[in-house]
Amino acid sequence: MYFVAAAYSIIAMLLVVPAFVMPLTILIFFWEMNIPRNISILDLIKFVMFAGAISGVLTFVIRNILLIGDNAAAHIAGPIPEEIAKFVLVYLLIKKKDSKYILNGLLIGCAVGVGFAAQESAGYAVWLYDEVGFSQAQSTNIMRGILALGGHSVWASMYGAALVAAKKTDTLKISHIA
């Protein structure tokens, strides 16, 4: 019994850990490019964990509000709830952190995108493992990691930069979105 539980733990680790590798690499690059250096790596890890934990639930809620289910339209309209969820999370974190520099917005947005990308990739990998096996789940994880270079992290970074640029020296308000 113990051997079976240990084997499942190892398989879960082999599916979940690779989901974080490429997104975290991008986050470290953005952190190094953050010239003001006023956001610690610990804050970024908190942002990644917060976004990873909340983004899936928020996406699910928005998808149900917009009535996008598991049909043909979901493949076309599927990214809409994801982008709304990432934008809301970036907005909340920038408002909380009260960032003044556009590079801070890029970094916070990247952290949200990393959290979202990692939880989504890990979820797909675990689901695929149950459906088609380990090798297909692992190859999907590798492909999603490669695509993470221009995916969720970069898009969420743009949201963060735009929000910080919109607020200028003011505090961030809902009116800055319009």
Side-chain angles (χ1 to χ4, degrees), residues 59 63-64 66-82 120 124:
T59 301
R63 185 170 280 137
N64 285 331
L66 297 177
L67 301 175
I68 300 171
D70 288 335
N71 54 27
H75 297 293
I76 296 169
I80 294 170
E82 293 178 358
E120 185 179 47
Y124 279 132

Side-chain angles (χ1 to χ4, degrees), residues 21-175:
V21 172
M22 283 306 287
L24 283 177
T25 305
I26 296 164
L27 182 65
I28 290 169
F29 172 73
F30 274 72
W31 184 63
E32 289 290 330
M33 300 304 293
N34 184 31
I35 295 168
R37 299 268 190 243
N38 57 350
I39 298 177
S40 71
I41 196 75
L42 183 61
D43 283 343
L44 286 180
I45 299 299
K46 289 178 191 175
F47 295 160
V48 168
M49 293 301 149
F50 172 75
I54 303 297
S55 61
V57 174
L58 190 57
T59 301
F60 177 76
V61 169
I62 294 168
R63 185 170 280 137
N64 285 331
I65 290 171
L66 297 177
L67 301 175
I68 300 171
D70 288 335
N71 54 27
H75 297 293
I76 296 169
I80 294 170
E82 293 178 358
E83 298 305 319
I84 293 170
K86 286 188 297 187
F87 184 84
V88 167
L89 291 172
V90 170
Y91 175 85
L92 292 173
L93 289 175
I94 286 177
K95 187 171 176 76
K96 179 182 181 276
K97 191 71 176 165
D98 195 29
S99 302
K100 295 177 179 59
Y101 305 106
I102 292 176
L103 289 173
N104 291 159
L106 279 170
L107 184 57
I108 291 170
C110 183
V112 169
V114 164
F116 185 90
Q119 70 85 20
E120 185 179 47
S121 294
Y124 279 132
V126 171
W127 175 75
L128 278 172
Y129 174 74
D130 286 341
E131 295 292 318
V132 294
F134 181 76
S135 64
Q136 181 65 35
Q138 194 69 333
S139 63
T140 300
N141 234 357
I142 291 167
M143 182 58 69
R144 289 186 62 83
I146 292 168
L147 294 174
L149 292 171
H152 294 297
S153 305
V154 173
W155 280 100
S157 295
M158 289 188 279
Y159 299 152
L163 285 170
V164 173
K167 77 173 188 166
K168 302 210 188 322
T169 58
D170 211 4
T171 57
L172 192 59
K173 300 176 190 144
I174 293 289
S175 62

